[in-house]
Every structure is written in structure tokens, then in C-alpha cells.
Amino acid sequence: MPAIPATSVANLRDLGGLPLGAGRSVRPGLVLRSAHLDRLDPAEPAVARLGIRTVVDLRTDTERGARPDRLPEGARLLVADVLADHLAISGLPPAARLKELLSDPALAEEHLGGGQVRSAFARTYRTFVSGDAARASYRALLAELGARNAGPLLFHCSAGKDRTGWAATVVLSLLGADEETVREEYLSVNRAVRQAFAPMIEGFITQGGNPDLALDLIGVLPEYLDAALDEVAVRHGSMEKYVREGLGVPDEVTARMRARLSEGHGGLTDG
């Protein structure tokens, strides 16, 4: 799943074209994902031609304050803070501390070493499923995607990998993508994220830092996604029930989203 080559937005991707089975695929140009938009240039051709009408910001209040979004021309902003009630107990460093930790290998090892970072991410991913703020946020995102007369929508967090990655997983699963497609899409951000953080990672390693620790923090791992999927299975039994009962998204909204976002046999092709 190649990134859209925009210079002012990191990790910008269109879910369009991904296979959904039975000859169907995700309709291009309607559901996009990225990292934060604080450097977005609305006039950049790669951005302008997307015609984005809604931006869903999954970040915390602190993240938004430090790096407020710049919106595409004519787009409206919907704030959906996934971690509003969880960040303080997540065990993960705030985004503002990421640079500090990766510039001090001893500090990073103390706070994140010995498997701590993986355990913290697993807890956070489970919260994506069960947390009150997370459920409200992902419900709001799906409601936007299933709204009548909705246009192209972009959702994002800071790096565009965890909160954004789970959002993409839920959307693709609802549309009928198989597990291989969902996992491949989830992991596809690693190259872009590692490129974006390459100087920081290289400096950390040069100072004697553990490269595995840095990559566990910067990238995504299958076990992170597994934690969220297990939480869905334990609490709800299926993705369908998670969306219906856990998120409170009505079946008619889900059906409308499927009709809008899929094309080919069994999906609408004319919008």
C-alpha cells in the first residue's frame, strides 16, 4: 500500500484499491489516513486533488495544542480524542517526551526497556477497544464515513500508526477485507514511519541505545494489533458486534458505509 507522495503530509495513504473479496475493492479517494497535518500545504497538488471534505483528528488535547492541524481548503475538522481518559495511565511517553527519551539511551532503557514498551502498547491497543473515549471517537469516525452525502475523509493521529492504524483495521474489517489484507495494511506504515524518524533512531543507536527498543516504539508490531483484536474477541466475539454493541453504531450506518466505500460486484460504483 504505497504512500501518496505528498511532501507536506507524512504517511498519507488512500485505503482505496485494497481488495475486499468477491471481486470488490475499496473505492479510491474516499477514506484516507495520515500523520498530523501541522505542516500541510493546502495548495500542494497531491493534497489539493484529493478534495478532502472532513478531517478527523484522533489526537489528545496536548498534541493538538503543540501541533495544530492545517486543514485542506474547504475541509471541516472533527476532534475525536481516542486517549482522552487513558493517556495518564497508559505507560507510554507523551509525544513531547519521545525526542527526550530517544536522545538518552539510559533514560529510555529505564522507562521502556525489558519489554515495557511492548506491554504498554498492548495495554493501549486494548483501550482502543474498551475505553470510553476511544469508543466515542471511533463511533464518531464511522458515523462520518456512513453519513449521507459524505465526501472524502482523512483520519489521523500524530505519527499515523497506532490510533490511526486501529481505525483503518476497523473500517477494512467492516468492509469485508480478509485478515491478510488488514494486517498487511496495518504493517505497511513501518517504512514511512522509520524513514521519518531515521535521524532520531540513528542518533539513539550511535549513543549506545538498543535499536530494537527504538523500533518497538517508533513502529508497529503484529502483537500490538493482536492485543486489540483479542480485546474485541473477548468482549464482543466479533468485529460486527464490537461496532454494533461496543461502539453503538447502528446497522444502517454500517450498511451505508459499506455501500459508499466499496465497488465492484456487490458494491455501488456510482457514488
Side-chain angles (χ1 to χ4, degrees):
M1 182 181 165
I4 296 171
T7 58
S8 67
V9 185
N11 208 4
L12 176 60
R13 297 166 185 274
D14 184 353
L15 298 187
L18 289 173
L20 300 175
R24 297 180 305 120
S25 60
V26 181
R27 291 186 66 194
L30 286 182
V31 55
L32 304 108
R33 56 177 291 182
S34 74
H36 50 69
L37 306 181
D38 66 313
R39 296 181 181 179
L40 178 138
D41 177 3
E44 182 180 2
V47 174
R49 66 171 169 257
L50 295 173
I52 295 167
R53 287 172 52 181
T54 303
V55 171
V56 180
D57 189 343
L58 305 174
R59 296 178 299 166
T60 64
D61 181 65
T62 299
E63 291 170 303
R64 296 194 306 274
R67 292 187 167 185
D69 277 351
R70 300 182 65 185
L71 296 180
E73 188 70 29
R76 69 184 182 93
L77 177 66
L78 174 66
V79 172
D81 185 345
V82 171
L83 295 177
D85 56 358
H86 177 71
L87 195 61
I89 60 169
S90 70
L92 291 173
R97 290 203 66 206
L98 186 61
K99 185 175 181 180
E100 173 193 352
L101 288 166
L102 288 181
S103 65
D104 187 339
L107 188 65
E109 189 64 35
E110 175 187 350
H111 289 281
L112 302 173
Q116 293 180 78
V117 64
R118 293 192 179 194
S119 297
F121 269 113
R123 288 194 300 272
T124 298
Y125 270 69
R126 289 184 180 277
T127 296
F128 292 167
V129 176
S130 57
D132 289 342
R135 289 189 293 113
S137 297
Y138 291 121
R139 176 172 62 247
L141 171 62
L142 294 181
E144 289 293 321
L145 288 172
R148 291 183 174 87
N149 302 317
L153 178 149
L154 179 145
F155 57 89
H156 76 90
C157 52
S158 285
K161 67 185 185 78
D162 298 306
R163 288 162 288 187
T164 297
W166 178 243
T169 291
V170 175
V171 171
L172 290 173
S173 298
L174 280 181
L175 294 180
D178 62 22
E179 182 177 351
E180 181 181 358
T181 298
V182 169
R183 287 184 177 275
E184 184 177 351
E185 193 281 331
Y186 170 76
L187 294 170
S188 69
V189 302
N190 272 330
R191 177 177 294 182
V193 172
R194 288 172 182 177
Q195 286 177 345
F197 285 93
M200 197 179 295
I201 295 173
E202 290 170 8
F204 181 76
I205 295 171
T206 299
Q207 294 180 71
N210 181 344
D212 291 335
L213 190 158
L215 293 177
D216 287 353
L217 180 62
I218 294 300
V220 295
L221 298 176
E223 65 191 72
Y224 299 166
L225 182 59
D226 288 342
L229 293 173
D230 181 68
E231 191 76 3
V232 167
V234 169
R235 288 180 175 267
H236 303 287
S238 71
M239 188 67 76
E240 293 268 351
K241 288 185 177 180
Y242 158 64
V243 170
R244 182 186 302 117
E245 301 168 1
L247 301 186
V249 176
D251 289 344
E252 56 267 29
V253 172
T254 301
R256 197 157 51 238
M257 185 187 77
R258 286 173 173 151
R260 284 191 60 242
L261 300 183
S262 63
E263 65 180 3
H265 180 69
L268 296 185
T269 58
D270 61 359

